[in-house]
Amino acid sequence: MTADGSWRTYEGEAFPPVLTAALSAFVDQGYHGTSVREIASRAGLSVPGLYHHYPSKQAMLVGITSSAMTELLDRSSRAESEAGPAPADRFDAVVESLLLFHVHRRDVAFVCSTEIRSLDPAEREAYVGQRDAQQRMLDRIVLDGVDAGVFGTTHPLDASRAVTTMCVGVATWYRPGGRLDPAALVDVYSELARGTVQATARP
């Protein structure tokens, strides 16, 4: 795997046109408030044409949530791998990955957070499994940092979850053109994340 930092780059749409249309409708109207006809209209398709791509509205929600978590896990895994073995560097990289995802994919993150209740039980379980895998990645890094003596928290798993919650929360308030651009936001929130795990000062 090449250390090229591509996990930081967000270009174009995350989804094909049908899922992009479904995502915008779910953000505007909620899953249960959105009809298949509305999604078809936004996608520029007939209802039968829409069903050619996805058999149900549930399948579209699953497509959004599953693809989103797959993307996040991939970006975070690449970030950690490229950071090298030091726990502090891995922590910074994965936190940055979480922050950038929730800045650049904020609509997706919003739907994943608010519509998990709308997933069928088996699909909800699969989504939660992906979400837990992301959390375990950060948990492992924080535990490694504590073992190495570079993180001083006496509550590593709670600190790790607090950091994730802070990063995820960015999607609820961040807007382009606001007080912080993505680079500044990463700087500020990475500092807050390091404080949460009580990281030792860098030389």
Side-chain angles (χ1 to χ4, degrees):
M1 186 174 294
T2 303
D4 59 5
S6 62
W7 54 270
R8 293 185 173 95
T9 303
Y10 287 80
E11 295 178 349
E13 296 289 344
F15 300 124
V18 170
L19 289 189
T20 298
L23 175 63
S24 69
F26 296 159
V27 169
D28 292 344
Q29 302 173 1
Y31 176 79
H32 292 292
T34 297
S35 67
V36 171
R37 187 172 300 279
E38 171 67 20
I39 298 171
S41 175
R42 293 188 185 216
L45 296 170
S46 65
V47 171
L50 183 70
Y51 283 134
H52 176 74
H53 296 277
Y54 291 90
S56 66
K57 187 171 69 168
Q58 177 70 194
M60 290 178 243
L61 180 61
V62 170
I64 290 168
T65 57
S66 176
S67 295
M69 286 306 305
T70 297
E71 180 185 8
L72 177 57
L73 283 165
D74 173 67
R75 288 179 181 274
S76 296
S77 294
R78 286 187 284 139
E80 181 182 10
S81 177
E82 291 178 15
D89 292 336
R90 289 157 53 210
F91 179 79
D92 284 350
V94 172
V95 167
E96 181 179 356
S97 175
L98 280 165
L99 289 167
L100 290 176
F101 182 87
H102 288 87
V103 164
H104 293 289
R105 300 285 190 246
R106 58 191 180 280
D107 284 350
V108 176
F110 172 78
V111 167
C112 287
S113 295
T114 59
E115 298 298 351
I116 184 175
R117 65 188 184 278
S118 301
L119 289 166
D120 290 345
E123 303 296 351
R124 186 184 307 120
E125 183 177 357
Y127 172 79
V128 170
Q130 288 181 299
R131 187 185 65 187
D132 288 350
Q134 175 67 56
Q135 184 62 54
R136 286 194 298 271
M137 182 188 303
L138 193 62
D139 290 348
R140 184 183 66 250
I141 294 169
V142 175
L143 289 168
D144 286 350
V146 170
D147 288 344
V150 296
F151 298 157
T153 178
T154 56
H155 306 285
L157 296 182
D158 293 308
S160 176
R161 187 164 297 279
V163 169
T164 298
T165 300
M166 178 178 66
C167 294
V168 170
V170 165
T172 65
W173 61 263
Y174 177 82
R175 295 294 180 272
R179 181 174 61 87
L180 296 174
D181 64 20
L185 185 146
V186 167
D187 286 344
V188 171
Y189 275 72
S190 292
E191 180 181 340
L192 295 172
R194 293 183 203 110
T196 301
V197 297
Q198 299 178 33
T200 57
R202 298 295 184 96

